[in-house]
């Protein structure tokens, strides 16, 4: 298949973009891309491709932007129920942390997720995955963490593997057993921490070997936060995960700074996410490392909070930045990376080009997948979107809608 005549073909070629390099879109005007067997086999000016492949089935993208599908590198895709009542409480003045401390928040989604049958969980999750795809996301990370017991955490992983196999959205799973202290361990959080590293991690490893043989292990993530897991507990879990061969992520400095960002650098985590309360020293350490900083602008927006991660100095210091939705039922029910881009332009002070690179090639780097997805280059997976606009800057500039007109995943038109 040949997709040709794009007003702007954004290739994002050349690998992940650090620091001041962020925003190199690699624009090819009147560009085209040739797709064979799910992969990109040529990227060139339309005239050249049309002349070389005159009989190829083709799609004209005249007057439209063609670019890589979005990669959403931080979501809590798989849960049951909703927390609309909690949203209303927050509007009346209760904080997220107060609701969590009084037994609501994550734990209320845990109750609903434990009760849900695997079919119910699949159906609710599939609906969100479908919406992500319609908004142009072709690959997404997805965390467990609403089970907080072996059986339900594995049920969440199973839903993720089944949806990934169903497609078309490609899912990169993360085990987040350390998302909250479950109600039955409320009086002994340390015992739960122990359970995570002593029993749950090896159980996940064994389960994975039999359910996803040959596939590399999922990420292990920890919510390092007041009221969730302390720095010491986070370290114990992540060190054990690393010993077992899991790649690492961390929720750091969302509400309080406990030192999670520095821990991510020390342990060589693939990414450190949130980073609202990160100190300037920790930002500098992150910038010098290969750990990707993942900013989640939908989260402060969802919580109606004024603070967003200060990423500009981080870029000046040559750091590697990605953005994600943080899709979850508590703080940010948003399936739309275009909205994350619009917020990133306004509150992270990124240009549309920078936000687009952070949502594609750098987001792929935050999943260790930048050799396969996130850009339009020969040999890469043919995951791309056609926008209904001629100028890429409409991403960011316009918000609240959907500029994605067509989605192609592994060479197939899926939307
Ligand atoms: O990334 N911070 C922890 N996890 C989510 C919130 C999850 C929830 O409230 O259900 C987050 O914001
Ligand atoms: Fe999160």
């Amino acid at each position: 298949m040949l997709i040709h005549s794009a007003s702007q073909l954004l290739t994002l070629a050349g690998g992940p973009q650090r620091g001041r390099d962020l925003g190199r879109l690699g624009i090819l005007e009147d560009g085209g891309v040739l797709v064979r067997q799910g992969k990109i086999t040529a990227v060139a000016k339309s005239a050249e491709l049309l002349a070389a492949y005159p009989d190829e089935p083709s799609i004209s993208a005249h007057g439209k932007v063609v670019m890589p599908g979005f990669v959403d590198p931080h979501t809590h895709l798989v849960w049951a129920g909703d927390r609309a009542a909690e949203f209303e409480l927050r509007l009346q003045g209760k904080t997220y942390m107060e609701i969590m401390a009084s037994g609501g928040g994550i734990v209320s989604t845990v109750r609903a997720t434990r009760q849900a049958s695997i079919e119910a969980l699949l159906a609710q999750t599939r609906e969100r995955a479908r919406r992500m795809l319609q908004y142009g996301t072709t690959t997404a990370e997805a965390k467990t963490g609403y089970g907080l017991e072996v059986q339900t955490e594995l049920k969440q992983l199973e839903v993720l593997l089944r949806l990934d196999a169903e497609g078309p959205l490609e899912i990169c799973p993360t085990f987040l057993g350390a998302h909250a202290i479950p109600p039955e361990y409320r009086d002994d959080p340390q015992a739960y921490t122990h359970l995570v590293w002593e029993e749950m991690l090896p159980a996940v490893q064994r389960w994975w070997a039999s359910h996803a043989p040959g596939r590399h292990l999922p990420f292990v993530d920890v919510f390092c936060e007041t009221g969730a897991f302390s720095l010491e507990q986070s370290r114990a879990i992540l060190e054990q995960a690393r010993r077992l061969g899991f790649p690492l992520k961390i929720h750091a400095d969302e509400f309080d700074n406990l030192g999670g960002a520095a821990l991510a650098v020390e342990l060589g985590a693939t990414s450190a996410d949130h980073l609202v309360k990160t100190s300037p020293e920790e930002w500098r350490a992150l910038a010098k490392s290969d750990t990707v900083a993942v900013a989640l602008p939908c989260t402060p927006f969802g919580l109606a909070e004024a603070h967003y991660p200060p990423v500009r100095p981080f870029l000046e210091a040559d750091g590697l930045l990605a953005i994600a939705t943080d899709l979850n039922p508590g703080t940010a029910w948003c399936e739309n990376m275009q909205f994350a881009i619009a917020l990133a332009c306004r509150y992270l002070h990124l240009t549309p080009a920078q936000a687009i690179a952070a949502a594609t090639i750098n987001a792929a780097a935050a999943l260790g997948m930048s050799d396969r997805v996130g850009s339009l280059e020969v040999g890469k997976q043919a995951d791309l979107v056609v926008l209904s606009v001629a100028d890429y800057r409409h991403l960011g500039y316009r918000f609240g809608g959907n500029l994605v007109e067509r989605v192609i995943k592994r060479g197939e038109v899926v939307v």
Side-chain angles (χ1 to χ4, degrees):
M1 177 168 62
L2 180 58
I3 300 138
H4 62 88
S5 306
S7 58
Q8 300 173 332
L9 185 90
L10 315 184
T11 65
L12 279 300
Q17 304 181 4
R18 294 194 82 100
R20 294 199 189 103
D21 234 18
L22 184 66
R24 258 192 302 106
L25 297 181
I27 301 177
L28 194 58
E29 281 171 11
D30 195 12
V33 51
L34 181 72
V35 171
R36 291 268 170 85
Q37 267 120 36
K39 294 220 168 140
I40 294 171
T41 50
V43 179
K45 287 278 192 188
S46 295
E48 215 175 285
L49 291 176
L50 285 166
Y53 305 94
D55 302 323
E56 194 76 17
S58 67
I59 294 174
S60 169
H62 181 74
K64 300 171 197 304
V65 171
V66 173
M67 60 174 286
F70 298 113
V71 177
D72 190 342
H74 183 137
T75 86
H76 302 255
L77 180 65
V78 48
W79 78 81
D82 69 74
R83 305 229 293 275
E86 200 180 279
F87 172 56
E88 204 166 47
L89 283 177
R90 284 209 311 273
L91 296 176
Q92 289 158 357
K94 280 239 183 331
T95 68
Y96 180 81
M97 294 304 255
E98 283 165 1
I99 293 168
M100 181 157 123
S102 62
I106 294 171
V107 160
S108 76
T109 301
V110 168
R111 280 191 289 271
T113 306
R114 285 179 177 179
Q115 276 161 22
S117 67
I118 191 152
E119 281 68 32
L121 197 55
L122 256 170
Q124 293 181 40
T125 306
R126 185 185 288 117
E127 221 179 291
R128 289 186 284 270
R130 188 73 212 162
R131 268 194 296 274
M132 294 177 82
L133 195 77
Q134 281 162 347
Y135 286 125
T137 298
T138 45
T139 300
E141 184 258 14
K143 303 173 197 296
T144 67
Y146 294 116
L148 311 183
E149 61 184 7
V150 172
Q151 179 202 351
T152 310
E153 288 290 315
L154 295 181
K155 180 170 77 178
Q156 286 193 282
L157 276 180
E158 182 163 352
V159 165
L160 292 174
L161 286 183
R162 274 163 70 170
L163 287 178
D164 179 54
E166 263 177 35
L169 179 69
E170 182 170 350
I171 294 174
C172 173
T174 292
F175 171 70
L176 178 58
H179 192 198
I181 306 298
E184 60 276 17
Y185 283 91
R186 231 182 142 184
D187 299 327
D188 194 0
Q190 187 55 32
Y192 182 67
T193 304
H194 212 262
L195 185 81
V196 173
W197 67 262
E198 188 112 295
E199 282 177 37
M200 291 174 111
L201 288 175
V204 168
Q205 195 189 36
R206 282 192 303 274
W207 185 89
W208 194 262
S210 63
H211 288 73
R215 186 166 168 168
H216 66 75
L217 282 170
F219 287 98
V220 168
D221 191 349
V222 174
F223 188 19
C224 180
E225 188 60 58
T226 308
F229 296 84
S230 69
L231 184 66
E232 291 65 36
Q233 292 168 334
S234 302
R235 174 190 290 282
I237 293 164
L238 292 175
E239 280 184 345
Q240 171 74 346
R242 192 171 64 162
R243 272 193 291 275
L244 295 175
F246 291 94
L248 309 180
K249 288 183 170 284
I250 188 166
H251 279 67
D253 310 328
E254 179 177 2
F255 298 99
D256 286 325
N257 183 331
L258 303 189
L263 181 65
V265 173
E266 184 195 324
L267 298 182
T270 305
S271 77
D273 304 37
H274 283 292
L275 307 168
V276 179
K277 297 289 165 63
T278 305
S279 69
E281 300 73 55
E282 289 168 300
W283 274 114
R284 279 195 288 275
L286 266 176
K288 287 206 193 80
S289 77
D290 287 328
T291 298
V292 183
V294 180
L296 306 165
C298 299
T299 308
F301 178 83
L303 292 167
E305 278 176 6
H307 297 290
Y308 287 79
V311 301
R312 293 226 63 96
F314 173 69
L315 293 176
E316 292 299 315
D318 212 32
L320 193 50
L321 177 76
I323 60 171
T325 59
D326 196 19
L327 168 61
N328 77 78
T331 61
W333 190 327
C334 174
E335 287 98 344
N336 188 351
M337 282 294 279
Q338 299 169 60
F339 187 63
I341 288 171
L343 293 178
C345 291
R346 286 160 186 78
Y347 300 114
L348 308 183
H349 311 291
L350 300 185
T351 63
Q354 290 177 317
I356 288 169
T360 53
I361 187 66
N362 283 14
L367 298 180
M369 294 172 77
S370 60
D371 56 337
R372 194 151 63 76
V373 299
S375 64
L376 303 182
E377 293 174 273
V378 171
K380 283 190 123 176
Q381 209 164 276
D383 294 358
L384 47 103
V385 295
V386 181
L387 306 184
S388 59
V389 292
D391 180 337
Y392 74 84
R393 292 171 301 185
H394 284 239
L395 277 176
Y397 166 44
R398 289 157 68 167
F399 58 93
N402 189 4
L403 300 181
V404 168
E405 190 174 88
R406 209 189 271 267
V407 180
I408 294 167
K409 179 68 187 175
R410 293 186 174 106
E412 302 282 332
V413 178
V414 292
V415 174

